[in-house]
């Protein structure tokens, strides 16, 4: 799916040229169900239904707000989807596409558009949702699938399973699987959110995700969703907020990931609450808190009402307590010194889906009439049917809520991509040629041998045909193919004949040809001494992979060579022990990251071949590896596919030490393309003590940061 999302980014730039564009749009809360539903459904439509030239999933949230959707960011990255590859609502001009008549919309996880997006109503052609229907008459005019299941992803998965062409690979299955578990509280009956269809879909997905641990997936996502340790109080308030209003009153409904009785005692949170009410001109704020006891699936809910007007606070509190058919089951909790009331919600089955329309009805009540307030609960549904629909708004995110973090690139100064950025010459390993890598708006060409100086004859320079077409062709240094010997790169070159004034290469910058090409070349190529030539030769290493000669840029991978080391031999079998330390991998923020990883891959493969003469055990140390250093799923897959058959056959065990949710997910996702024999060699090892029972550690070089990670994680 990651390749599809990257293609969507590219297609977005050319959207104005396409005749038909279909957008799959989630709801404004952009929770995990909304995000995954939009991504997977768009992928399915693109691959199977093909109802438009371009099909693009859009997260209905601004890019700067996405960071507080912690479970969304986490789960996408854990399933090898780069968060920068997804498209947010502020990165596409839906209005322009609508006005050009090119747009069609598929709604997932909601069945009606917000007031701000209601101008797109006529563009909605399909709906997949599990919420209460807002406008039944409108849905009759389109292809709609709305069922009260636990998760919208259940409906998306059902659509895929019912298709004759399946896209249900392990990556897609894991995305749907984790989301359904999170939405249904791991199929927990107590929460009253799971249906029989949810259970059936989970069972089908588990047949694809061989070896998956249901509780581990749920608890990991649940922990991330409710982990607010890295979010400020203001960010928490904006994490999942909806606004409702009439002409004179505005109320915010905030879903908070945790119990309210603790956080409301914190001064910073109280200040943030007051700041939000003031900046958004809110009359009241309703906080909806929920917590699931870890390992027990016991759900607790709390509701708090905030209003600086004591009279209004009393009326809202009374209204919530008197709601019936069904009742929230509120039990007031003590909370002193604050314009706020706090309740324990005994009826844990009622979520914001119930409270939101109830508060919309509250705005329609004449608050001066206490008798109407007292009776409003009994005729709530009747009032809803007689009154006009209340506008719903998603609160705008303050500019200063989420600081923009820019990772500092760790560019190695001698890598080709770095030279390209600076417009500097890059010395190629191929003799007799110098490559000038210029800015993208300049041409790229190579200079071959010129005739001796002073002959007065015309000079012929080998130039790639693309130069004659005045097109810039970027040499893809990042692909594996770019690492092969390119001595025949200009076998189809053409000749440019310079005029008589260009008698030497030194005069090239003064020639008419030079002015046409706008080339920055001016100086002679300096001759290298024997020592310099020897040193340059040492910077490149030739290897053979699958019968094809490659060159490894040893200089660019120099800081990362410690990633692979020899750890001695196993006492009983004599198997060689090879250690792969992931903490030494390069950071993905490098501009030439792909180029470095391609060279590092070749280095690892050739070094393995040199270190291993017979059977061996490979130990992968995952502990202490930062997320930005973890290799991509594609890179790991390519490593497996290009490993020599001898190395695969001689591998007697692959020990994955300090496995995380990401690592286990990767293993599950790789099962379709690795052999069953190879799978049986995999073993998760949870700490260094367990590893010491499998192999001797006397000669194993374990990085200090890995040892520290092990001590911190397993203190006993």
């Amino acid at each position: 799916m990651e390749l599809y999302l990257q293609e969507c980014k590219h297609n977005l730039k050319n959207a104005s040229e396409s005749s038909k564009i279909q957008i799959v749009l989630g709801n404004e809360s952009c929770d995990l169900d909304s995000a995954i539903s939009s991504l997977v459904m768009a992928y399915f439509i693109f691959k199977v239904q093909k109802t438009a030239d371009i099909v693009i999933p859009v997260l209905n949230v601004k890019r700067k707000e996405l960071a507080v959707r912690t479970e969304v960011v986490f789960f996408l990255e854990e399933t090898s989807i780069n968060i920068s590859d997804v498209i947010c609502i502020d990165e596409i001009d839906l209005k322009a596409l609508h006005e050009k008549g090119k747009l069609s919309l598929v709604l997932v996880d909601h069945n009606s558009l917000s007031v701000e997006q209601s101008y797109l109503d006529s563009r909605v052609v399909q709906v997949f949702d599990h919420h209460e229907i807002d406008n039944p008459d409108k849905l009759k005019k389109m292809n709609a699938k709305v069922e009260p299941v636990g998760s919208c992803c259940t409906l998306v998965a059902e659509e895929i399973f019912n298709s004759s062409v399946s896209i249900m690979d392990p990556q897609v299955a894991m995305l749907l699987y984790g989301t359904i578990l999170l939405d249904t509280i791991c199929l927990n009956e107590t929460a009253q959110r799971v249906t029989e269809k949810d259970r059936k879909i989970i069972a089908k997905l588990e047949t694809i995700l061989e070896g998956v641990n249901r509780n581990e997936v749920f608890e990991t996502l649940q922990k991330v969703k409710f982990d607010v340790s890295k979010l400020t109080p203001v960010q928490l308030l904006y994490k999942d907020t909806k606004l409702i209003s009439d002409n004179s009153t505005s109320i915010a409904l905030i879903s908070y990931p945790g119990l309210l009785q603790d956080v409301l005692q914190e001064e910073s949170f109280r200040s943030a609450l007051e700041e939000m009410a003031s900046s958004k001109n809110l009359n009241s704020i309703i906080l909806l808190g929920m917590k699931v006891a870890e390992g027990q699936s016991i759900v607790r809910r709390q509701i708090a009402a905030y209003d600086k007007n004591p009279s209004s606070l009393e009326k809202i509190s009374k209204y919530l307590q008197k709601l019936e058919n069904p009742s929230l089951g509120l039990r007031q909790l003590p909370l002193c010194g604050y314009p706020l009331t706090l309740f324990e919600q005994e009826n844990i089955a009622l979520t914001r889906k119930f409270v939101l329309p109830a508060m919309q009805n509250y705005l329609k009540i004449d608050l001066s009439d206490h008798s109407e307030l007292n009776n409003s609960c009994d005729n709530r549904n009747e009032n809803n049917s007689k009154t006009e629909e209340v506008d719903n708004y998603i609160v705008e995110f303050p500019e200063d809520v989420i600081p923009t973090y820019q990772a500092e690139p760790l560019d190695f100064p001698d890598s080709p991509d770095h030279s390209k950025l600076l417009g500097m010459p890059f010395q190629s390993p191929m003799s007799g040629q110098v490559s000038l890598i210029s800015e993208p708006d300049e041409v790229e060409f190579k200079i071959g041998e010129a005739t001796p100086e002073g002959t007065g004859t015309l000079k012929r320079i080998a130039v790639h045909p693309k130069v004659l077409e005045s097109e810039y062709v970027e040499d893809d240094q990042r692909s594996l193919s770019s690492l092969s010997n390119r001595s025949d790169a200009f076998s189809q070159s053409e000749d440019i004949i310079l005029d008589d004034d260009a008698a030497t290469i030194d005069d090239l910058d003064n020639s008419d040809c030079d002015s046409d090409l706008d080339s920055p070349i001016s100086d002679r190529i300096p001759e290298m001494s024997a020592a310099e030539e020897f040193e340059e030769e040492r910077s490149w290493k030739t290897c053979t992979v699958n019968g094809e000669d490659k060159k490894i840029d040893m200089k660019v991978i120099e800081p990362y060579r410690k990633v692979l080391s020899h750890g001695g031999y196993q006492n009983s079998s004599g198997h060689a022990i090879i250690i792969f330390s992931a903490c030494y991998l390069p950071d993905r923020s490098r501009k030439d990251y792909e180029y470095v990883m391609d060279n590092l891959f070749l280095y690892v493969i050739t070094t393995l071949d040199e270190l291993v003469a017979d059977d061996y055990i490979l130990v992968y140390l995952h502990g202490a590896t930062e997320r930005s250093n973890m290799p991509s799923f594609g890179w790991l897959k390519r490593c497996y596919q290009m490993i020599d058959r001898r190395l695969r056959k001689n591998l007697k065990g692959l020990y994955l030490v300090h496995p995380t949710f990401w690592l286990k997910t990767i293993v599950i996702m790789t099962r379709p393309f690795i052999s069953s024999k190879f799978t049986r060699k995999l073993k998760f090892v949870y700490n260094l003590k367990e590893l010491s029972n499998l192999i001797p550690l006397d000669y194993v070089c374990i990085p200090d940061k890995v040892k520290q990670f092990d001590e911190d994680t397993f203190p006993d």
Side-chain angles (χ1 to χ4, degrees), residues 35-48:
I36 301 303
S37 293
S38 62
L39 295 177
V40 175
M41 179 52 70
Y43 184 51
F44 173 70
I45 293 173
F46 171 76
K47 284 286 190 179
V48 180

Side-chain angles (χ1 to χ4, degrees), residues 320 322-329 347 349-350 354 377 380-381:
L320 291 171
K322 287 183 173 291
L323 285 173
E324 295 179 357
N325 300 321
S327 169
L328 289 167
N347 188 350
L350 299 183
F354 171 82
C377 306
R380 182 175 65 256
N381 294 332

Side-chain angles (χ1 to χ4, degrees), residues 408-422 424 426 539 553-561 586-587 589-593 595-596:
E408 182 179 353
L410 304 174
D411 290 308
F412 197 82
D414 293 309
S415 64
D417 280 25
H418 187 273
S419 302
K420 184 184 301 182
L421 292 171
L422 299 179
M424 296 167 53
F426 168 63
S539 298
D553 188 341
M554 299 300 291
K555 187 177 291 186
V556 80
I557 67 167
E558 180 63 33
Y560 313 111
R561 292 176 64 177
D587 193 290
S589 63
R590 286 190 61 133
K591 292 184 176 69
D592 58 353
Y593 174 76
Y595 176 81
V596 175

Side-chain angles (χ1 to χ4, degrees), residues 428-445:
S428 168
M430 297 174 284
S431 60
Q433 294 179 344
V434 171
S435 171
L436 182 74
I437 306 177
S438 56
E439 293 295 329
D441 58 345
E442 299 174 348
V443 297
E444 174 185 342
F445 59 93

Side-chain angles (χ1 to χ4, degrees), residues 307-326:
D307 196 312
K308 281 197 169 183
N309 185 321
S311 176
S312 297
L313 179 61
E314 181 183 359
K315 291 174 183 177
I316 289 179
S317 302
K318 189 175 182 180
Y319 174 79
L320 291 171
Q321 287 177 290
K322 287 183 173 291
L323 285 173
E324 295 179 357
N325 300 321

